[in-house]
Amino acid sequence: MPRIEDYDYSLPPQLVAQYPLQKRDASRLLVLKRDKGDLRHARFGDLPQWLNRDDVLVVNDTRVFPARLFGQKASGGKVELLLHHLPEAAGNGAQPRTAWARATHRGRLQIGQSLNFGADLEAEIRALPQPGVAEVRFASPGDVRAAIRAAGSVPLPPYIQRPAEVSDRDTYQTVFAARTGAVACPTAGLHFTDRLLGELRQRGVEVVRLTLHVGPGTFMPVRVQDYTRHRLLPEYFELAEDAAARLNAARDSGKRLVAVGTTSVRVLEYCATPAGFQAQQGWCGLYFYPGYRFKAVDRMVTNFHLPKSTLLLLVSAFAGREMILRAYDEAVTAGYRFYSYGDGMLIL
């Protein structure tokens, strides 16, 4: 039987990056060649040496919004909401007000209860479908989404053991970030700079953008021993007509698709059909684990992922469990920085 324990590894706490490097492309890069199992140590700024005009870089242009809200219940008790997405409208022409959120609080939450997040933002609990999850309806004198952006904090992951700082509003965004809607950053893209992108284009590397708004499901732990029984919460994505056409043209000319991050992998594999990439938008819950046969992705840029996580299962599906765990052991021994603000990995 498949066992999630087989995807565990030991990581010294001091290797979990708490802050990004000042120069994004100065991070380290572990290069894994799947054909021979070779491992090479490099700097992320060396990426152009590993790619050429036969490669197409596929990036996620989602932008993180300040999804963590700290407030009070009417009784005075503290409450924290981590929004799953930006508020949505109930009907045509209505202001977006309703959202799902993970709620952390003292005492009990009740349907109809009011929550206050400052002078310009309040919320009412509309439903409590499961423990720790609430449907809330926001109210504000002005634009609700603008009020959330003003009141909210950057939703740094829990392994970054410090409060979010003002600087995180910029550093926890990729250089591609354009379309607001994610509650977590597609962190493989954090290593890219305009200078590095310029060097890649000089080598003939094309860049294609797609969108996947990263939701909380990506980071939910696998709580069942048989990881094939885990279910991933869907995330909203868009692959535009122009992007699909460029991907199909690249495929027709024999080029390789280099997915930047697991989120780009998810959209590419979801939209790949025997007839080519299909432009579409919707909700993607595609879940990868060893045994999955990749249809679209040839190479991958990624960060180092948590033990026993869906993301570690994804890269293991791409490169093989033994090869990935050996690479992770090498990264630990060499003192690489791990997770969102950490170093990167190129899988060829």
Side-chain angles (χ1 to χ4, degrees):
M1 182 181 74
R3 297 174 353 115
I4 192 62
E5 287 82 2
D6 293 335
Y7 295 84
D8 197 5
Y9 65 92
S10 179
L11 181 70
Q14 65 269 22
L15 294 185
V16 179
Q18 299 298 305
Y19 287 91
L21 296 179
Q22 188 171 5
K23 292 183 63 177
R24 294 187 176 211
D25 57 7
S27 57
R28 299 174 72 179
L29 181 68
L30 185 63
V31 182
L32 169 61
K33 294 185 175 182
R34 289 178 292 165
D35 56 350
K36 296 181 179 179
D38 290 347
L39 290 170
R40 304 285 181 87
H41 297 282
R43 292 288 172 183
F44 205 90
D46 300 332
L47 185 64
Q49 299 177 19
W50 300 94
L51 305 180
N52 56 43
R53 66 180 63 255
D54 292 327
D55 295 300
V56 175
L57 209 64
V58 184
V59 302
N60 184 3
D61 66 1
T62 189
R63 185 173 186 83
V64 180
F65 72 98
R68 180 167 278 123
L69 296 168
F70 297 95
Q72 288 185 325
K73 297 182 285 186
S75 62
K78 294 182 179 180
V79 64
E80 174 188 335
L81 296 184
L82 176 60
L83 301 185
H84 289 188
H85 54 85
L86 280 166
E88 298 171 344
N92 292 335
Q95 183 181 174
R97 294 184 182 276
T98 304
W100 292 88
R102 179 160 294 279
T104 304
H105 55 92
R106 291 182 179 178
R108 295 182 59 190
L109 290 181
Q110 298 178 349
I111 295 173
Q113 196 169 37
S114 295
L115 310 175
N116 184 278
F117 300 99
D120 294 329
L121 187 65
E122 294 183 348
E124 177 189 348
I125 297 177
R126 303 295 302 276
L128 296 167
Q130 62 187 70
V133 176
E135 180 187 7
V136 294
R137 179 178 173 83
F138 288 98
S140 173
D143 179 81
V144 164
R145 291 185 174 186
I148 289 172
R149 287 193 292 270
S153 298
V154 176
L156 294 178
Y159 46 74
I160 296 180
Q161 296 181 345
R162 60 174 175 83
E165 300 174 6
V166 173
S167 61
D168 290 305
R169 290 200 172 219
D170 294 322
T171 58
Y172 197 57
Q173 304 282 7
T174 71
V175 71
F176 314 109
R179 308 189 64 191
T180 302
V183 303
C185 181
T187 53
L190 286 177
H191 307 285
F192 288 87
T193 62
D194 290 330
R195 182 200 63 79
L196 180 57
L197 289 171
E199 288 189 19
L200 288 166
R201 289 190 175 100
Q202 286 180 356
R203 289 185 63 84
V205 177
E206 185 180 0
V207 179
V208 176
R209 296 180 178 226
L210 48 76
T211 303
L212 184 137
H213 292 321
V214 188
T218 296
F219 303 100
M220 284 182 62
V222 179
R223 293 192 173 95
V224 289
Q225 185 178 43
D226 180 356
Y227 55 76
T228 66
R229 297 175 55 204
H230 178 78
R231 293 296 176 265
L232 200 64
L233 291 178
E235 297 164 311
Y236 182 80
F237 77 93
E238 293 186 20
L239 181 67
E241 293 279 355
D242 174 67
R246 292 171 65 194
L247 291 171
N248 286 325
R251 272 289 190 231
D252 290 344
S253 60
K255 293 187 175 183
R256 298 174 295 237
L257 299 188
V258 185
V260 176
T262 58
T263 58
S264 297
V265 171
R266 188 168 290 116
V267 176
L268 287 171
E269 293 294 318
Y270 190 83
C271 294
T273 75
F277 290 98
Q278 300 295 314
Q280 55 185 299
Q281 61 186 48
W283 295 85
C284 174
L286 191 57
Y287 171 42
F288 303 83
Y289 48 81
Y292 177 86
R293 298 178 65 86
F294 286 81
K295 307 182 293 292
V297 176
D298 301 297
R299 296 176 162 190
M300 189 187 306
V301 177
T302 185
N303 276 16
F304 295 95
H305 304 295
L306 288 163
K308 300 191 288 187
S309 65
T310 61
L311 302 182
L312 185 60
L313 286 168
L314 187 155
V315 294
S316 295
F318 190 68
R321 171 184 170 273
E322 292 79 9
M323 203 174 291
I324 286 294
L325 292 181
R326 182 167 62 85
Y328 274 49
D329 284 344
E330 175 74 12
V332 169
T333 300
Y336 275 62
R337 302 165 71 248
F338 274 62
Y339 306 154
S340 293
Y341 277 149
D343 295 317
M345 186 175 183
L346 173 63
I347 305 176
L348 300 175

